[in-house]
Amino acid sequence: FGTYDQILKEMTFSPKMGEQFNYIDSSATRFHWDAWYDETTGVRKLVFPDENYAREVMQLFSIGLHELELDGTETRDKFGREIQTYDNVNIMNNARVMTGFTYTARRGNTEELFRATKSRFEPFRIDIDKHDFFPKQSIEDGWIGDRYPLCEDLPKHHFLKIGATYRFRGGSSIPTSQYMPASWDADEKIKRFVLSPDSMLYKKLCDPDPAGNCNFSNVVTLDENLNCFGNECSVDSVIIAQISPGAFYEYIRQPCTH
């Protein structure tokens, strides 16, 4: 099964759980505020994210209602009262985490028979426009993401450092782990970041044979620090790198917070 954290993640991305606990297409308050505007009356719509799964994932699937001792008995305060593990503020913060989950596209080999437009088998994707990206407090009165570095503190040219990971996207220039409008994929006006054949990063991603033909791997992890070349030296980061026409790699940036 892996770790319990992995089980919770798989469960959270399950469409069946999303349907059961109503958090499919739950959206950030900001999204509704921006999207629902009546120009005639000047009224905006104030809608908060659904709190059902945000509460149940704590109550039923993780920390429970009350703090416990190592022997399973309930922890008591100095007045002999049970100590709650979370409150309504924690639920609201958790609900903001659970925003943006939505269905992926249907699978033709399974759901074509039902003329579905969505998949109830594949894990959810996250619609970044509907996700609440503002800071969220944890139940320990810290902040979710405290253990991650600030994005602004990542080393210069971190996409060239040892351990940097790239995922082959084939002919698609749309990343999977960062947001980019889908319309950009076929828009020739969008400028691509094209690597020079003289670049050390190009050689790592292309892995050319003696004739110069690329041998693309699904995932490439840098095993050494690379020197920048040309345009690489003037950018802070890379999202999609074009190796040749119709061949793109996505840089999987290490987790960081803003």
Side-chain angles (χ1 to χ4, degrees), residues 67-105:
E67 293 185 10
L68 302 178
E69 301 291 349
L70 292 178
D71 62 2
T73 59
E74 292 177 329
T75 301
R76 305 276 176 169
D77 63 16
K78 62 181 181 179
F79 300 106
R81 298 174 299 194
E82 300 162 337
I83 301 176
Q84 291 186 333
T85 53
Y86 63 88
D87 56 24
N88 286 337
V89 173
N90 300 132
I91 295 173
M92 292 178 68
N93 279 316
N94 235 14
R96 293 168 53 215
V97 174
M98 307 298 175
T99 50
F101 287 92
T102 191
Y103 294 106
T104 57

Coordinates of all heavy atoms in Angstrom, one line a residue, residues 67-105:
E67 N -7.6 14.3 20.8 CA -6.2 13.9 20.9 C -6.1 12.6 21.8 O -6.9 12.4 22.8 CB -5.4 15.0 21.6 CG -5.2 16.2 20.7 CD -4.3 17.3 21.3 OE1 -3.6 16.9 22.3 OE2 -4.3 18.4 20.8
L68 N -5.1 11.7 21.4 CA -5.0 10.4 22.1 C -3.6 10.3 22.7 O -2.6 10.8 22.2 CB -5.3 9.3 21.2 CG -6.7 9.2 20.5 CD1 -6.7 8.1 19.5 CD2 -7.8 9.2 21.5
E69 N -3.5 9.5 23.8 CA -2.3 9.1 24.4 C -1.7 7.9 23.5 O -2.4 7.3 22.7 CB -2.4 8.7 25.8 CG -3.0 9.8 26.7 CD -2.0 10.9 26.9 OE1 -0.8 10.8 26.6 OE2 -2.4 11.9 27.5
L70 N -0.5 7.5 23.8 CA 0.1 6.4 23.0 C -0.7 5.1 23.3 O -0.6 4.2 22.4 CB 1.6 6.2 23.4 CG 2.5 7.3 23.0 CD1 3.9 7.1 23.5 CD2 2.5 7.5 21.5
D71 N -1.3 4.9 24.4 CA -2.1 3.7 24.7 C -3.5 3.8 24.1 O -4.3 2.8 24.3 CB -2.1 3.4 26.2 CG -2.8 4.5 27.0 OD1 -3.3 5.5 26.4 OD2 -2.9 4.4 28.2
G72 N -3.9 4.8 23.4 CA -5.2 4.9 22.8 C -6.2 5.6 23.6 O -7.3 5.9 23.1
T73 N -5.9 6.0 24.8 CA -6.9 6.7 25.7 C -6.9 8.1 25.3 O -5.9 8.7 24.8 CB -6.6 6.5 27.2 OG1 -5.2 7.0 27.4 CG2 -6.6 5.0 27.6
E74 N -8.0 8.8 25.6 CA -8.1 10.2 25.2 C -7.3 11.1 26.2 O -7.3 10.9 27.4 CB -9.6 10.7 25.3 CG -10.4 10.0 24.2 CD -11.9 10.4 24.3 OE1 -12.4 10.6 25.4 OE2 -12.6 10.4 23.3
T75 N -6.6 12.1 25.6 CA -5.8 13.1 26.3 C -6.8 14.0 27.0 O -7.8 14.5 26.4 CB -4.9 13.8 25.4 OG1 -4.0 12.9 24.8 CG2 -4.1 14.8 26.2
R76 N -6.5 14.4 28.2 CA -7.4 15.4 28.9 C -6.6 16.6 29.3 O -5.4 16.6 29.6 CB -7.9 14.7 30.2 CG -8.7 13.4 30.0 CD -10.1 13.6 29.6 NE -10.8 12.3 29.3 CZ -12.1 12.2 29.1 NH1 -12.9 13.3 29.3 NH2 -12.6 11.0 28.8
D77 N -7.3 17.7 29.4 CA -6.7 19.0 29.9 C -6.7 19.0 31.4 O -7.2 18.0 32.1 CB -7.4 20.2 29.3 CG -8.8 20.3 29.7 OD1 -9.2 19.7 30.7 OD2 -9.6 21.1 29.1
K78 N -6.3 20.0 32.0 CA -6.2 20.1 33.5 C -7.6 20.0 34.2 O -7.6 19.8 35.4 CB -5.4 21.3 33.9 CG -6.1 22.6 33.5 CD -5.2 23.8 34.0 CE -5.9 25.2 33.7 NZ -5.1 26.3 34.1
F79 N -8.6 20.3 33.4 CA -10.0 20.2 34.0 C -10.6 18.9 33.7 O -11.8 18.7 34.0 CB -10.8 21.3 33.4 CG -10.3 22.7 33.7 CD1 -9.7 23.5 32.7 CD2 -10.4 23.2 35.0 CE1 -9.2 24.7 33.0 CE2 -9.9 24.5 35.3 CZ -9.3 25.3 34.3
G80 N -9.9 17.9 33.1 CA -10.4 16.6 32.8 C -11.2 16.6 31.5 O -11.9 15.6 31.3
R81 N -11.2 17.6 30.7 CA -11.9 17.6 29.5 C -11.1 17.1 28.3 O -9.9 17.2 28.2 CB -12.4 19.1 29.1 CG -13.3 19.7 30.2 CD -13.6 21.1 29.9 NE -12.3 21.9 29.9 CZ -12.3 23.3 29.9 NH1 -13.5 24.0 30.0 NH2 -11.2 23.9 29.9
E82 N -11.9 16.5 27.3 CA -11.2 16.0 26.1 C -10.7 17.1 25.3 O -11.2 18.2 25.3 CB -12.3 15.2 25.3 CG -12.8 14.0 26.0 CD -14.1 13.5 25.3 OE1 -14.8 14.3 24.6 OE2 -14.5 12.3 25.5
I83 N -9.6 16.9 24.6 CA -9.0 18.0 23.8 C -9.2 17.7 22.3 O -8.9 16.7 21.8 CB -7.4 18.0 24.0 CG1 -7.1 18.2 25.5 CG2 -6.8 19.1 23.2 CD1 -5.7 18.2 25.9
Q84 N -9.9 18.6 21.7 CA -10.3 18.5 20.3 C -9.0 18.6 19.4 O -8.1 19.4 19.7 CB -11.3 19.5 19.9 CG -12.7 19.4 20.5 CD -13.7 20.4 19.9 OE1 -13.3 21.4 19.5 NE2 -14.9 20.0 19.9
T85 N -9.0 17.8 18.4 CA -7.9 17.9 17.5 C -8.0 19.0 16.4 O -7.0 19.4 15.9 CB -7.7 16.5 16.7 OG1 -9.0 16.2 16.1 CG2 -7.4 15.4 17.6
Y86 N -9.2 19.4 16.1 CA -9.4 20.5 15.1 C -10.6 21.3 15.5 O -11.5 20.9 16.3 CB -9.5 19.9 13.7 CG -10.6 19.0 13.5 CD1 -11.9 19.5 13.1 CD2 -10.5 17.6 13.7 CE1 -13.0 18.7 12.9 CE2 -11.6 16.8 13.5 CZ -12.8 17.3 13.1 OH -13.9 16.5 12.9
D87 N -10.7 22.5 14.8 CA -11.9 23.3 15.0 C -12.4 23.8 13.6 O -11.9 23.3 12.6 CB -11.6 24.5 15.9 CG -10.5 25.3 15.4 OD1 -10.2 25.3 14.2 OD2 -9.8 26.0 16.3
N88 N -13.4 24.6 13.6 CA -14.0 25.1 12.4 C -13.0 25.9 11.5 O -13.1 25.8 10.3 CB -15.2 26.0 12.7 CG -16.4 25.2 13.1 OD1 -16.5 24.0 12.8 ND2 -17.3 25.8 13.8
V89 N -12.1 26.6 12.1 CA -11.1 27.3 11.3 C -10.2 26.3 10.6 O -9.9 26.5 9.4 CB -10.2 28.2 12.2 CG1 -9.1 28.8 11.4 CG2 -11.1 29.3 12.9
N90 N -9.8 25.2 11.2 CA -9.1 24.1 10.5 C -9.9 23.5 9.4 O -9.3 23.2 8.3 CB -8.7 23.0 11.5 CG -7.8 23.5 12.7 OD1 -8.1 23.2 13.8 ND2 -6.8 24.3 12.3
I91 N -11.2 23.3 9.6 CA -12.0 22.8 8.5 C -12.0 23.7 7.3 O -11.9 23.3 6.2 CB -13.4 22.5 9.0 CG1 -13.4 21.4 10.1 CG2 -14.3 22.1 7.9 CD1 -14.8 21.2 10.7
M92 N -12.2 25.0 7.6 CA -12.2 26.0 6.5 C -10.9 26.1 5.8 O -10.9 26.2 4.5 CB -12.6 27.4 7.1 CG -14.0 27.5 7.6 SD -14.3 29.1 8.4 CE -14.3 30.2 6.9
N93 N -9.8 26.0 6.5 CA -8.5 26.0 5.8 C -8.3 24.7 5.0 O -7.8 24.7 3.9 CB -7.3 26.1 6.8 CG -7.1 27.5 7.3 OD1 -7.0 28.4 6.5 ND2 -6.9 27.7 8.6
N94 N -8.7 23.6 5.5 CA -8.6 22.3 4.8 C -9.5 22.4 3.5 O -9.1 21.8 2.5 CB -9.1 21.2 5.7 CG -8.1 20.1 5.8 OD1 -6.9 20.3 5.4 ND2 -8.4 18.9 6.3
A95 N -10.7 23.0 3.6 CA -11.6 23.1 2.5 C -10.9 23.9 1.4 O -11.1 23.6 0.2 CB -12.9 23.8 2.9
R96 N -10.1 24.9 1.7 CA -9.4 25.7 0.7 C -8.4 24.8 0.0 O -8.0 25.1 -1.2 CB -8.8 26.9 1.3 CG -9.9 27.9 1.8 CD -9.3 29.0 2.7 NE -8.1 29.6 2.0 CZ -7.0 30.0 2.7 NH1 -6.9 29.9 4.0 NH2 -6.1 30.6 2.0
V97 N -7.8 23.9 0.7 CA -6.8 22.9 0.1 C -7.5 22.1 -1.0 O -7.0 21.8 -2.0 CB -6.2 22.0 1.2 CG1 -5.3 21.0 0.5 CG2 -5.4 22.9 2.1
M98 N -8.7 21.7 -0.6 CA -9.5 20.7 -1.5 C -10.2 21.4 -2.6 O -11.4 21.0 -3.0 CB -10.4 19.9 -0.6 CG -9.8 19.2 0.5 SD -8.6 18.0 0.0 CE -7.9 17.5 1.7
T99 N -9.7 22.4 -3.2 CA -10.3 23.2 -4.3 C -9.7 22.8 -5.6 O -8.5 22.6 -5.7 CB -10.3 24.7 -4.1 OG1 -9.0 25.1 -3.8 CG2 -11.2 25.1 -2.9
G100 N -10.5 22.9 -6.7 CA -9.9 22.7 -8.0 C -10.0 21.2 -8.5 O -9.6 21.0 -9.7
F101 N -10.3 20.3 -7.7 CA -10.4 18.9 -8.1 C -11.5 18.7 -9.2 O -12.7 19.1 -8.9 CB -10.6 17.9 -7.0 CG -9.4 17.8 -6.1 CD1 -9.2 18.6 -5.0 CD2 -8.4 16.8 -6.4 CE1 -8.1 18.5 -4.2 CE2 -7.3 16.7 -5.5 CZ -7.2 17.5 -4.4
T102 N -11.2 18.1 -10.3 CA -12.2 17.9 -11.3 C -11.8 16.7 -12.1 O -10.7 16.1 -12.1 CB -12.3 19.1 -12.2 OG1 -13.5 19.0 -13.1 CG2 -11.1 19.3 -13.1
Y103 N -12.8 16.2 -12.9 CA -12.6 15.0 -13.7 C -11.6 15.1 -14.8 O -11.4 16.2 -15.4 CB -13.9 14.5 -14.4 CG -15.0 14.1 -13.4 CD1 -16.1 14.9 -13.2 CD2 -15.0 12.9 -12.8 CE1 -17.1 14.6 -12.4 CE2 -16.0 12.5 -11.9 CZ -17.1 13.3 -11.7 OH -18.1 12.9 -10.9
T104 N -10.9 14.0 -15.2 CA -10.1 14.0 -16.4 C -11.0 13.6 -17.6 O -12.2 13.3 -17.4 CB -8.9 13.0 -16.3 OG1 -9.5 11.7 -16.0 CG2 -8.0 13.4 -15.1
A105 N -10.4 13.7 -18.8 CA -11.2 13.3 -19.9 C -11.5 11.8 -19.9 O -10.8 11.0 -19.3 CB -10.5 13.7 -21.2

